[in-house]
Amino acid sequence: MKKLLLILTLLFINCSILIAQENLEPPINTIREDDTGEVSKGNKFFLNGNYSKAIDFYEKATKEKEGVAYYNLGVTYYLLGQYKESKRALLQSIKAGYKDRDVYINLASTYMMLGDYEKAQSILEDYIPDNGTPAIYTNLGNIFLHLGETAKAYYYLQKAVSLGGDSFYANISLANYFLSIGDNENAEKILNNISPKGFLQNLNMGKIYFNMGNHLLSNEYLEKALVYYETAELYKLMAKNYAVLGNYSLQSDVLKKVMELEPNDLNRINYAVSLYCGGYTDRSFDFLKSQIKLDQDNTYYKFLYSYLLFIGNNMNTVKDYLKSLYDYSPDVENLYLYVKYLIISKNDKYITQAINIIKNNNIDNPYINLVKSILEIFNRDYYKALRFVNNINVETLNRFQKEEYYIIKCFIHTHLAKFDKVLQIVDKIPYYRAEYFWYKFIALWNNDNLLNLLQAIKEGHYSCLNKKRNKDLSISFKPLITDMDLSYTFYNRPVDIIEHMVFPILMDANEVAKIMNFGSQLINENQADIALSTLMNSLSFIKAIDLNNSAVQHLIEGNYYRALDMLKEANIKLPSNPIILYNIGLTYKYIGNQNKALLYFSRSESSSRYFYPASIVKAIIYYKTGKAGESRKLFSNIYNSFNENNALMDLPNFIIYMKYLAGIVVDNPSNVENRLISDKLNTEYGRLILDICRYIKGGKEEALQKIKNNNSYHSDYLYNFISLYNDNSNLIKIAKEDRVYRFTTYFIEFYKGKRYKIEYDKSDKYELKEAFFYHILNGNYGRAYNNLVKIFDETSDSYYPNELALYYYMVVDDKVNAEGAYNALERSSLSNYYSDYYKLIYMLLNSEYKNLEDKLSDFKEKFPSSNRLHLVNAIYHFDKGDLNLLEDDINMLLKDKNNLEFSLPLKINIESL
């Protein structure tokens, strides 16, 4: 980096002719010409790019040509990014009587750069009516963009571009507008056609690529800007790029330049931290020691020195150092540093020492109030801690005291779950403090604000201390309906809708023969006709058909256990029949046993490769249990197989229907609608599929009315579920309320935020399980526990008692019983989506990171598309400080959040102070 800076310096010395020839087009009006005196001399240096020399002459000229000189000073300071100085000079110009339009437009630009958008807006709007310029419209567009008024921003930026087509600032501002609304494609188109010239243009390109997350390209433009001029603003942005890229060594080189250009405490501290982050620990400590020696009264350097020792776990060294400071000079600043350490060490002996020191120094002083607050935080009396902090007048504090004040307030507010208040004050903590990123992340995470988390993660890169310092993370598990192993759910997605469009199948002897002859894997093809003829004439075949069809009638009436008994008997008389096996699977699904259902759907598939009803329901269960990729592949295979084999159209309608159900999930509803019409499948069920396609396309009211009048199996259920989901209370009255209808209705109501008393059969283990979760959602943990006990009493190991127990004990934070449930679950052979997910949560809550890494790998292999994987990973990577992987996790959660609205069930906090 030193060689690079030398090269840039040499380039700067030899670039004056290049700059003089450059057609400068700043976002403000440029300098005024003057034929005589110091202004004229200053202008020559300005045009040659020697802004520092120009300023010298303009300052001298304020005595003879006051108005013009101050105006030119304002322009020059603006181009250097020194906006406060620019504002001061322009106001002086106006005061001296120089009041033409350009000075006001330039003043508006400085107000905008200083964040005073209302003042900027009020000035610029005076010049809109008749004589707006690209500069005016560009600045107005940027103002409205900052104010969040995107429609106005776009209007003015478009006007700016139309008036000054090749205006760099108009175009780059329009690109920035597109970035702000997430239209990266249009932003890139504009940027690719821009050729920046000079310092300010390259700096702006550096800024925009920084905002786009392209940090390498950002630094390329910043290095081009350096050829023309060095500013602290430019180097600070370059340092942030290096931090995000993980190159703390180059970051420290750049921050050294910042420190030289702006020699203040904060820049020196950022430099020391960057040395520490780059692994130059000794250099960092030596630098801080030198600053302490130069300014022994500056608490900043003493604090940072002890802070870095503390992060490095040099506990005895920290204590000895802070005690020596306090013993040498027992003033309130040294007292604060020493007593704070004694408290956060969590050593009983040290805590007693801290209490005695506070008692002996019980005075009204900000430092004393801060340590009193820290002591109450240690005692977990957060309201009392807040009272001590609120007794402090923040306006009277120095910079270090303010940092501590805001960090303590953020800590308290996170523990009081007042995350909006955290977000109001967290930006007052500087980047170099680990707490800045911690509290921002926690507040946004606990508010489910994933979008803004991405920006917070970028800022977290600016200092490595969030990774190096131990967070002492605390995690709680919040009960959410989307996290529960419920058998009856409805999110109004295509897959939820078609789940209630599958139906039990009646057996017809000729149809059975056609299916078996077409797709059987069990009959020798050379003897298929003889085998089928023999089978159809057998008494077992006739009895099996009768049992199956009687069972279907019971299924329609909701008598699931009676239907199951008959279907099992039919399966004995006619083994491996795809229809019987499918109906058994559907019955288990209705009862609430998804695992058994999957088993029988797989057997049905195995008996006939073209028995797609079983494949459809299997794909639905896959989708709802974290195997979205496998599910979509299965749906696609069903949908596409009809294109590849026209002979399938000779199969019974109940198989052909599956083509359209699969298409609802994997294709555009309009395409499915057109295929259905062209295939002329004009049946009652065909019309239901058509109406569902139209509903998904957006014609909700008209489609719903047609669904209401449809007489297909469960179409009344489907109408009610869709209506409930869309907050429509005009439901069809259903006389028989079987468990599918009842519990799916409960789910929709609870998911939409309503709460009901659950009615269920207390003797049925499957209904007990559903009610167990709803009791938890209602906050009735006692009733949930009673259900859990009954499930243990009445259920063999083939069911899920330990899975439910682990969930329950994690929610109520019973660590002892949670451990027992976890160990029992590990010993059992049970492994499904939710049991594996709950085990991940358990390991996360108990910081069992070695086991967690292995389990996460297994979970990813089984359920690669699950949002739970990214949820657990996000907290794991936050705790480890791996911000690159954390950013990936949040992006994946955002993607899932768009598909299915959910809150974050894991709430986090920091115990370190």
Side-chain angles (χ1 to χ4, degrees), residues 677-706:
I677 293 168
S678 67
D679 290 344
K680 297 178 181 178
L681 201 65
N682 190 22
T683 63
E684 190 76 359
Y685 190 77
R687 287 190 289 274
L688 177 63
I689 299 173
L690 200 64
D691 294 330
I692 290 300
C693 288
R694 288 166 180 167
Y695 168 78
I696 294 169
K697 277 169 57 180
K700 292 191 174 182
E701 291 303 321
E702 184 181 352
L704 264 177
Q705 192 57 43
K706 289 185 176 179

Side-chain angles (χ1 to χ4, degrees), residues 8 79 408 467 475 537 573 770 774 827:
L8 293 175
L79 293 177
I408 291 168
K467 180 176 182 177
I475 309 168
N537 291 324
K573 295 186 179 298
E770 299 295 301
Y774 286 113
R827 288 192 298 270

Side-chain angles (χ1 to χ4, degrees), residues 45 49-57 76 80 229:
F45 282 107
N50 194 336
Y51 298 145
S52 298
K53 201 71 175 173
I55 287 171
D56 291 339
F57 281 102
T76 310
L80 293 175
Y229 207 78

Side-chain angles (χ1 to χ4, degrees), residues 160-336:
V161 171
S162 65
L163 282 174
D166 61 349
S167 164
F168 171 83
Y169 292 101
N171 279 287
I172 200 170
S173 296
L174 186 60
N176 194 48
Y177 162 80
F178 283 124
L179 274 180
S180 72
I181 62 169
D183 188 348
N184 286 15
E185 187 177 344
N186 270 319
E188 287 277 13
K189 283 180 184 176
I190 295 171
L191 294 172
N192 288 336
N193 291 320
I194 291 177
S195 298
K197 301 172 184 177
F199 169 76
L200 205 56
Q201 291 189 357
N202 279 292
L203 174 61
N204 275 279
M205 290 292 280
K207 286 179 180 177
I208 203 165
Y209 277 109
F210 173 82
N211 291 331
M212 290 176 73
N214 192 334
H215 301 285
L216 285 171
L217 192 52
S218 173
N219 265 354
E220 282 185 29
Y221 281 107
L222 295 177
E223 285 167 1
K224 289 177 184 178
L226 270 177
V227 172
Y228 299 95
Y229 207 78
E230 294 181 275
T231 69
E233 177 192 22
L234 185 153
Y235 280 123
K236 285 177 184 176
L237 188 59
M238 191 177 275
K240 287 179 179 178
N241 279 321
Y242 282 130
V244 177
L245 293 168
N247 195 330
Y248 290 109
S249 178
L250 284 179
Q251 184 201 26
S252 63
D253 285 343
V254 171
L255 286 174
K256 187 175 183 181
K257 295 294 297 182
V258 174
M259 182 179 65
E260 291 167 357
L261 290 165
E262 286 184 355
N264 59 44
D265 288 343
L266 191 56
N267 288 337
R268 293 188 189 101
I269 281 170
N270 282 326
Y271 172 63
V273 171
S274 70
L275 286 173
Y276 184 85
C277 290
Y280 305 111
T281 309
D282 292 340
R283 281 176 60 193
S284 176
F285 285 130
D286 288 343
F287 175 77
L288 287 171
K289 286 176 187 176
S290 70
Q291 296 304 311
I292 293 167
K293 190 174 181 180
L294 288 170
D295 188 0
Q296 294 185 5
D297 294 328
N298 193 319
T299 313
Y300 241 133
Y301 303 121
K302 292 183 286 187
F303 159 74
L304 184 59
Y305 183 78
S306 62
Y307 187 65
L308 296 181
L309 285 171
F310 180 76
I311 289 171
N313 289 318
N314 300 309
M315 309 309 287
N316 291 330
T317 309
V318 179
K319 181 177 180 294
D320 293 343
Y321 172 69
L322 293 176
K323 187 175 186 304
S324 68
L325 286 179
Y326 181 61
D327 289 343
Y328 178 74
S329 178
D331 55 35
V332 285
E333 291 182 342
N334 290 332
L335 178 151
Y336 175 76

Side-chain angles (χ1 to χ4, degrees), residues 296-565:
Q296 294 185 5
D297 294 328
N298 193 319
T299 313
Y300 241 133
Y301 303 121
K302 292 183 286 187
F303 159 74
L304 184 59
Y305 183 78
S306 62
Y307 187 65
L308 296 181
L309 285 171
F310 180 76
I311 289 171
N313 289 318
N314 300 309
M315 309 309 287
N316 291 330
T317 309
V318 179
K319 181 177 180 294
D320 293 343
Y321 172 69
L322 293 176
K323 187 175 186 304
S324 68
L325 286 179
Y326 181 61
D327 289 343
Y328 178 74
S329 178
D331 55 35
V332 285
E333 291 182 342
N334 290 332
L335 178 151
Y336 175 76
L337 294 174
Y338 181 48
V339 172
K340 178 183 177 182
Y341 168 76
L342 291 176
I343 296 170
I344 65 176
S345 68
K346 299 182 180 179
N347 180 302
D348 290 340
K349 180 182 174 183
Y350 294 168
I351 297 291
T352 303
Q353 288 178 31
I355 292 169
N356 290 332
I357 293 172
I358 294 169
K359 282 181 180 178
N360 293 331
N361 292 272
N362 193 13
I363 58 175
D364 185 15
N365 178 276
Y367 279 120
I368 301 300
N369 279 319
L370 287 173
V371 290
K372 284 181 178 178
S373 179
I374 292 170
L375 184 59
E376 295 308 329
I377 286 171
F378 176 78
N379 294 328
R380 297 190 177 276
D381 191 338
Y382 300 116
Y383 284 105
K384 193 172 180 180
L386 190 59
R387 285 199 297 274
F388 281 118
V389 177
N390 286 340
N391 284 337
I392 299 170
N393 180 1
V394 69
E395 299 302 324
T396 65
L397 303 182
N398 62 37
R399 179 177 282 178
F400 172 71
Q401 289 171 326
K402 284 181 180 177
E403 281 183 26
E404 294 293 292
Y405 170 87
Y406 289 119
I407 284 171
I408 291 168
K409 284 200 88 167
C410 282
F411 185 97
I412 294 167
H413 286 318
T414 60
H415 283 267
L416 294 175
K418 295 179 179 178
F419 303 114
D420 289 336
K421 289 193 174 182
V422 174
L423 293 172
Q424 289 170 14
I425 61 175
V426 70
D427 286 324
K428 299 179 188 295
I429 303 169
Y431 290 134
Y432 85 89
R433 298 287 290 264
E435 293 89 347
Y436 168 78
F437 172 63
W438 290 357
Y439 295 131
K440 197 165 201 177
F441 184 91
I442 287 166
L444 291 167
W445 176 276
N446 290 342
N447 274 349
D448 299 332
N449 191 340
L450 295 180
L451 194 59
N452 285 334
L453 267 182
L454 292 174
Q455 178 61 30
I457 292 167
K458 179 193 284 188
E459 294 167 358
H461 280 288
Y462 302 158
S463 169
C464 70
L465 299 188
N466 75 79
K467 180 176 182 177
K468 290 185 176 289
R469 189 180 165 195
N470 176 38
K471 297 177 181 64
D472 196 8
L473 200 64
S474 61
I475 309 168
S476 58
F477 189 38
K478 173 185 173 184
L480 295 175
I481 194 168
T482 49
D483 244 12
M484 296 176 171
D485 188 4
L486 294 164
S487 297
Y488 313 96
T489 62
F490 189 87
Y491 294 105
N492 202 40
R493 303 165 299 188
V495 73
D496 299 296
I497 290 171
I498 68 166
E499 180 179 16
H500 295 281
M501 296 175 71
V502 295
F503 48 86
I505 297 173
L506 291 165
M507 287 179 71
D508 175 88
N510 292 320
E511 288 183 340
V512 172
K514 188 181 290 187
I515 293 166
M516 296 185 74
N517 190 39
F518 192 86
S520 175
Q521 297 173 355
L522 303 175
I523 300 174
N524 186 311
E525 288 185 8
N526 297 326
Q527 300 176 337
D529 291 342
I530 299 170
L532 283 171
S533 176
T534 304
L535 175 66
M536 291 175 68
N537 291 324
S538 70
L539 186 62
S540 292
F541 180 72
I542 296 167
K543 184 63 176 173
I545 289 177
D546 184 53
L547 284 167
N548 177 83
N549 293 347
S550 297
V552 167
Q553 185 59 41
H554 284 295
L555 277 179
I556 292 169
E557 294 169 358
N559 302 322
Y560 298 135
Y561 289 110
R562 180 72 183 114
L564 187 61
D565 290 340

Side-chain angles (χ1 to χ4, degrees), residues 63-118:
K63 295 172 184 175
E64 56 181 51
K65 293 274 187 177
E66 191 176 6
V68 176
Y70 275 122
Y71 173 86
N72 286 359
L73 264 177
V75 173
T76 310
Y77 279 127
Y78 186 97
L79 293 177
L80 293 175
Q82 298 179 30
Y83 305 118
K84 286 184 181 177
E85 289 299 312
S86 178
K87 183 183 85 168
R88 178 190 63 78
L90 291 169
L91 287 173
Q92 283 289 101
S93 180
I94 293 168
K95 188 178 178 182
Y98 197 75
K99 297 182 179 180
D100 74 355
R101 184 184 72 161
D102 290 352
V103 71
Y104 285 104
I105 291 172
N106 290 358
L107 182 61
S109 298
T110 62
Y111 279 132
M112 188 171 69
M113 299 309 291
L114 291 168
D116 196 339
Y117 301 110
E118 291 181 1

Side-chain angles (χ1 to χ4, degrees), residues 630-677:
E630 291 178 53
S631 170
R632 194 165 187 85
K633 184 178 179 181
L634 198 47
F635 280 128
S636 295
N637 288 343
I638 296 165
Y639 190 51
N640 294 328
S641 65
F642 284 87
N643 298 332
E644 297 161 2
N645 193 336
N646 290 328
L648 286 171
M649 299 305 289
D650 294 331
L651 288 167
N653 277 351
F654 61 76
I655 291 182
I656 298 170
Y657 288 142
M658 300 304 109
K659 170 174 86 168
Y660 309 107
L661 292 190
I664 287 172
V665 177
V666 297
D667 198 1
N668 186 302
S670 295
N671 295 339
V672 179
E673 182 183 352
N674 292 336
R675 289 184 71 168
L676 187 62
I677 293 168

